[in-house]
């Protein structure tokens, strides 16, 4: 495991260890939130934003605990997390496409059908994707954006660059 | 037709810049396009002006640095009068010239109005801390005056476009500038509160506290004072560090998020604390290219989430690196960075030149404590809190009775904690003025608990340690 405070990049092993990666069974059942909030900071926006009480903290300064059985992958927390540290992944559908829902706050604004370059946690180009859904969060104005990507990339893709025709 | 470069931002993912009518200002005889309501420095910077002033001793070019009236680097002569252009609003047909050498006393002897204010409470500083104190006092019969040196109330909140952390009670999930807007509206309705902006409190005298506004001198005699004067940005030593294009990260944030002007096109950020990480993300949002974030320590200083936000767009964070110099004639054209070893020594042979027109310094802040020292407040040097800071009780009172503090002046921290401290100071004044009423004490205890909870995270370790050293009973 690399020290994420040296790199600014968290690896999958660390996420697994922190309990942020659901079981394969859960992953294949439907969309689910992946929290990449790995450092204890004073914030509990996710706790009070979740409509299903799936996120909890004992203290405001704990890292969040996600109950994957309660989480429906609705994505509300994606648009609310001040750290832009929540993503929803969905590998439940037939075929090779998976979905990643991520917060997006850069221009140009994404719209449905747009082609995008998908980026990993280090900004490396991991391939291309397609915007299947996007809306602006009512409170924060972030574009909560779902992109279709090859299934094997859903745990890698964490940002997009929108290409406008 | 005025044809100049235009660094203004017209489309932004989060912000909308409302500009007034178009006006013309003249800088060194040349016409420049500006918009009503703009700060003069922002307007001419937007049109490509780099050199605002020539330094008095060595005649070196100076540009904007802090953008909030603290440094004097952007001083110009407006219709013959030396002014800090970052806190001066544009006016049609203004004649603006560079100040070369020391400014002159052209204002001396001019008629100014004088106003004397006998009040219950004086709040110095209209950032989160001062506004929070004012909020507590609002609606009571304590006559209160809040004096702030900026064009708009809100302190540094007005340039904060990121979503706030913290719990619901602490504005979490909202953006800083929205919180400032709310407070502006709310406080303007308080009948016992007089808000004076564009006015600087300059000193404490036998006769009272003196504040200087545009053509008005105020002498304030308060029973209670809250000093919430905030902090100023630190500078860093390297070759040519005064060259225009070297700017405070906060200064760049003001240019970009308040005035809608890009600080440059290729930016190097020095310091990976939250300020350095957040400004880098905001530069991306404004469409500016960020070359790298440079950090001397082996680990990133700020919160992981802020680092991850810029890393995923490919901005490198170069730990164990430092800046050695910048080069350029009237503006930064290149920066030289190098690796450092564990003893902070530059590793020979690792020097690397980076093409950049802007270097932003995000290397910490220092509490703005001059006024407190004039009040005679006992001070102590506590590096974990940002340097020389006032001693204080847990109720935010200093060693001088009835002089309170709140916000960054007490410890370099965050807007959230500044609000809480402002509320605590406000309730402390109510308790002094009206006696130990149960509801006041209860509210104050609630905020004290909130502060403790907020600071209980490992990321607040330094502040916790510093506070222990700063407490008096």
């Amino acid at each position: 495991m690399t020290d994420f405070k040296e790199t600014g990049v968290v690896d999958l092993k660390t996420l697994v260890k922190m309990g942020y990666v659901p079981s394969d069974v859960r992953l294949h059942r439907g969309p689910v939130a992946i929290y990449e909030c790995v450092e204890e900071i004073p914030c509990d926006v996710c706790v009070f934003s979740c409509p299903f009480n799936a996120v909890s903290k004992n203290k405001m300064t704990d890292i969040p605990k996600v109950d994957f059985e309660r989480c429906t992958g609705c994505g509300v927390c994606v648009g609310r997390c001040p750290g832009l540290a929540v993503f929803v992944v969905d590998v439940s559908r037939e075929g090779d496409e998976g979905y990643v829902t991520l917060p997006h706050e850069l221009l140009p604004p994404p719209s449905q059908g747009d082609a995008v370059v998908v980026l990993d946690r280090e900004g490396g180009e991991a391939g291309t994707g397609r915007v299947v859904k996007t809306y602006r969060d009512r409170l924060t104005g972030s574009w909560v954006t779902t992109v279709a990507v090859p299934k094997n990339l859903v745990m890698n893709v964490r940002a997009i660059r929108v290409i406008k025709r | 037709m005025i044809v100049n470069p235009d660094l203004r931002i017209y489309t932004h993912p989060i912000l909308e810049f409302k500009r007034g009518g178009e006006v013309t200002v003249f800088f060194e005889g040349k016409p420049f396009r500006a918009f009503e309501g703009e700060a003069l420095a922002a307007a001419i910077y937007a049109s490509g002006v780099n050199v605002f002033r020539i330094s008095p001793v060595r005649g070196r070019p100076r540009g904007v640095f802090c953008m909030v009236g603290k440094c004097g680097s952007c001083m110009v002569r407006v219709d013959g009068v030396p002014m800090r252009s970052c806190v001066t609003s544009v006016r049609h047909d203004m004649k603006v010239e560079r100040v070369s050498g020391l400014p002159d006393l052209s204002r001396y002897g001019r008629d100014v109005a004088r106003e004397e204010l006998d009040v219950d409470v004086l709040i110095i500083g209209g950032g989160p801390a001062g506004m929070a104190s004012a909020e507590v006092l609002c609606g009571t019969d304590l006559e209160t005056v809040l004096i702030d040196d900026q064009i708009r109330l809100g302190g540094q909140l007005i340039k904060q476009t990121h979503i706030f952390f913290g719990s619901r009670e602490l504005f979490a999930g909202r953006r800083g500038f929205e919180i400032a807007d709310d407070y502006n509206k709310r406080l303007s309705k308080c009948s016992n509160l007089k808000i004076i902006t564009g006015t600087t409190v300059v000193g404490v005298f036998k006769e009272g506290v003196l504040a200087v506004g545009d053509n008005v001198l105020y002498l304030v005699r308060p029973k209670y004072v809250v000093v919430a004067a905030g902090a100023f940005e630190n500078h860093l030593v390297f070759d040519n560090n005064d060259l225009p294009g070297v700017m405070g990260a906060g200064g760049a944030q003001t240019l970009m998020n308040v005035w809608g002007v890009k600080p440059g096109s290729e930016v190097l950020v020095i310091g990976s604390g939250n300020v350095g990480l957040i400004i880098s993300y905001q530069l991306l949002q404004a469409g500016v290219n960020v070359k790298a974030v440079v950090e001397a320590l082996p680990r990133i200083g700020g919160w992981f989430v802020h680092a991850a936000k810029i890393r995923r767009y490919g901005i490198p964070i170069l730990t164990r690196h430092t800046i050695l110099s910048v080069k350029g004639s009237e503006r930064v054209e290149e920066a030289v960075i190098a690796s450092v070893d564990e003893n902070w020594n530059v590793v020979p042979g690792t020097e690397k030149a980076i093409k950049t027109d802007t270097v932003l310094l995000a290397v910490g802040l220092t509490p703005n404590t001059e006024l407190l020292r004039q009040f005679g407040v006992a001070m102590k040097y506590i590096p974990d809190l940002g340097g020389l800071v006032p001693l204080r009780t847990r109720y935010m009172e200093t060693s001088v009775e009835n002089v309170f503090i709140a916000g960054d002046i007490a410890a370099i921290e965050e807007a959230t904690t500044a609000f809480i401290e402002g509320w605590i100071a406000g309730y402390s004044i109510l308790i002094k003025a009206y006696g130990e009423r149960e509801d006041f004490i209860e509210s104050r205890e609630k905020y004290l608990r909130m502060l403790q909870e907020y600071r209980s995270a490992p990321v607040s370790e330094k502040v916790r340690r510093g506070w222990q050293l700063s407490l008096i009973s």
Side-chain angles (χ1 to χ4, degrees):
Chain A
M1 276 185 297
T2 54
D3 177 356
F4 53 80
K5 283 297 285 260
E6 273 178 27
T7 57
V9 174
V10 67
D11 56 26
L12 203 55
K13 263 191 190 158
T14 305
L15 293 176
V16 171
K17 197 178 147 218
M18 293 189 142
Y20 283 143
V21 181
S23 67
D24 270 0
V25 174
R26 175 63 189 87
L27 279 169
H28 284 93
R29 201 162 71 219
V32 64
I34 306 293
Y35 277 57
E36 304 201 352
C37 182
V38 291
E39 182 180 41
E40 297 168 332
I41 52 173
C43 181
D44 58 6
V45 174
C46 49
V47 176
F48 68 72
S49 299
C50 179
F52 303 100
N53 293 318
V55 191
S56 59
K57 283 188 170 203
N58 286 326
K59 290 198 322 262
M60 197 210 330
T61 49
D62 289 341
I63 62 165
K65 196 172 159 12
V66 187
D67 182 339
F68 298 120
E69 293 310 308
R70 288 182 174 216
C71 175
T72 65
C74 71
V76 166
C77 53
V78 174
R80 299 282 161 85
C81 171
L84 310 188
V86 185
F87 307 86
V88 169
V89 301
D90 183 3
V91 289
S92 65
R93 295 169 203 233
E94 299 270 311
D96 302 330
E97 264 188 352
Y99 298 94
V100 180
T101 303
L102 42 81
H104 187 76
E105 297 187 333
L106 303 183
L107 293 178
S111 38
Q112 202 181 333
D114 278 349
V116 294
V117 173
V118 293
L119 306 172
D120 63 21
R121 294 182 185 84
E122 296 174 74
E125 296 187 3
T128 54
R130 186 180 83 253
V131 176
V132 293
K133 189 183 162 192
T134 183
Y135 70 92
R136 291 199 90 160
D137 181 89
R138 182 170 52 84
L139 286 184
T140 63
S142 279
W143 283 283
V144 177
T145 302
T146 304
V147 290
V149 297
K151 247 181 199 166
N152 62 333
L153 291 183
V154 295
M155 286 306 285
N156 295 0
V157 170
R158 289 299 175 259
I160 54 171
R161 198 177 295 131
V162 178
I163 308 160
K164 287 285 171 187
R165 289 165 298 261
Chain B
M1 248 302 260
I2 303 168
V3 186
N4 284 312
D6 190 2
L7 295 174
R8 286 182 186 82
I9 302 161
Y10 293 96
T11 53
H12 190 280
I14 300 298
L15 294 168
E16 197 186 323
F17 299 106
K18 295 186 190 92
R19 298 187 169 90
E22 193 173 323
V23 296
T24 303
V25 298
F26 293 86
F27 181 73
E28 297 280 303
K30 256 182 71 185
F32 285 88
R33 191 162 73 124
F35 295 92
E36 273 170 16
E38 271 182 342
L40 175 60
I44 50 184
Y45 189 90
S47 303
V49 171
N50 296 315
V51 182
F52 282 60
R53 176 180 190 183
I54 306 297
S55 76
V57 180
R58 290 180 187 268
R60 291 173 64 89
R62 291 281 161 82
V64 298
F65 182 81
C66 79
M67 281 305 291
V68 286
K70 305 272 189 249
C71 73
S73 188
C74 68
M75 190 178 283
V76 293
R77 202 172 276 107
V78 177
D79 298 325
V81 181
M83 314 261 263
R84 293 162 300 170
S85 54
C86 64
V87 286
T88 302
S89 299
V90 296
R91 225 179 28 245
H92 184 60
D93 212 26
M94 254 180 173
K95 306 284 188 296
V96 186
E97 305 162 88
R98 287 193 178 108
V99 168
S100 192
L102 288 174
D104 49 83
L105 270 177
S106 55
R107 276 191 158 180
Y108 187 71
R110 275 206 317 177
D111 279 340
V112 289
R114 289 180 167 74
E115 203 176 317
E116 300 200 3
L117 299 164
D118 283 288
V119 293
D120 294 300
V121 186
L122 165 64
I123 301 171
I124 302 169
M131 293 195 303
S133 291
E135 184 184 20
V136 171
L137 300 168
C138 178
T140 66
D141 55 15
L142 294 178
E143 212 178 307
T144 303
V145 59
L146 189 164
I147 300 183
D148 188 73
D149 60 357
Q150 301 296 304
I151 297 172
R152 292 190 217 169
L153 213 62
Q156 310 316 311
L157 278 179
I158 61 174
K159 63 191 183 193
Q160 296 186 0
T161 56
H162 64 275
I163 307 168
F164 267 55
F165 295 77
S167 65
R168 194 176 343 215
E169 232 168 338
L170 297 172
F171 321 103
R174 312 215 39 221
R175 296 179 194 269
F177 67 94
E178 299 170 334
I179 300 168
D181 284 349
D182 285 356
Y183 266 83
N184 258 306
K185 278 189 211 123
R186 208 158 352 130
L187 293 181
S188 66
K189 291 182 195 137
C190 304
S191 55
N192 64 321
L193 176 67
K194 181 182 169 82
I195 297 171
I196 305 173
T197 52
T199 297
T200 308
V201 175
V202 294
V204 182
F205 296 87
K206 261 187 194 158
E207 294 83 354
V209 178
L210 184 73
V212 182
D214 201 15
N215 296 323
V216 193
L217 282 179
Y218 297 91
L219 189 62
V220 191
R221 284 179 295 260
K223 295 189 187 112
Y224 307 98
V225 184
V226 180
V227 188
F232 55 86
E233 297 197 81
N234 293 341
H235 214 296
L236 190 68
V237 178
F238 55 89
D239 279 359
N240 261 336
N241 66 359
D242 62 341
L243 192 63
V246 177
M247 209 183 291
Q253 226 178 4
T254 301
L255 253 181
M256 186 166 67
N257 296 346
V258 176
W259 305 117
V261 174
K262 292 182 189 185
S265 54
E266 308 248 275
V267 179
L268 185 68
V269 175
I270 312 299
S272 73
N274 276 345
V275 173
L277 300 175
I278 289 172
I279 185 83
S280 300
Y281 183 70
Q282 293 175 350
L283 286 159
L284 273 180
Q285 290 183 303
V288 177
N289 184 17
V290 182
K291 292 300 222 16
V293 176
V294 173
E295 169 61 57
L297 290 169
R299 299 179 88 220
I300 294 162
W303 294 0
F304 167 75
V305 287
H306 290 307
K309 251 157 65 172
I310 61 170
R311 293 289 289 115
R312 65 177 79 118
Y313 290 105
I315 299 177
I317 302 175
L318 307 173
T319 52
R320 295 182 201 268
H321 275 75
T322 191
I323 181 165
L324 298 178
S325 65
V326 290
K327 291 175 186 151
S329 53
E330 290 197 336
R331 166 102 196 192
V332 172
E333 288 162 26
E334 184 186 294
V336 178
I337 63 168
S339 304
V340 290
D341 63 21
E342 30 316 335
N343 304 313
W344 307 85
N345 295 316
V346 171
V347 181
T350 60
E351 296 86 354
K352 198 163 85 185
I354 294 183
K355 264 198 101 52
T356 173
D357 57 11
T358 310
V359 172
L360 299 184
L361 303 181
V363 290
L365 296 142
T366 299
N368 215 352
T369 56
E370 290 91 339
L371 281 172
L372 284 175
R373 284 180 268 163
Q374 292 189 36
F375 275 109
V377 165
M379 310 287 292
K380 189 171 176 179
Y381 186 74
I382 306 177
D384 282 339
L385 299 188
L388 193 64
V389 290
L391 297 178
R392 77 296 302 265
T393 68
R394 60 196 291 260
Y395 304 125
M396 305 310 297
E397 193 170 14
T398 64
S399 64
V400 175
E401 206 184 344
N402 298 334
V403 175
F404 294 82
I405 49 166
D408 270 0
I409 199 168
I412 301 303
E413 219 174 337
E414 281 168 60
T416 309
T417 48
F419 271 111
I420 307 174
E421 290 175 355
W423 291 323
I424 292 170
Y427 277 106
S428 294
I429 289 173
L430 290 183
I431 288 164
K432 288 214 159 193
Y434 295 106
E436 309 228 325
R437 263 174 50 180
E438 218 169 275
D439 52 338
F440 293 158
I441 291 182
E442 229 168 76
S443 299
R444 189 169 66 177
E445 287 303 317
K446 182 181 84 182
Y447 290 125
L448 283 165
R449 280 194 304 273
M450 203 183 270
L451 201 55
Q452 199 183 3
E453 190 191 359
Y454 194 88
R455 286 192 185 131
S456 65
V459 287
S460 301
E461 193 203 332
K462 260 172 60 173
V463 171
R464 280 202 307 272
R465 204 165 50 208
W467 259 82
Q468 286 311 313
L469 300 172
S470 70
L471 277 177
I472 49 176
S473 50

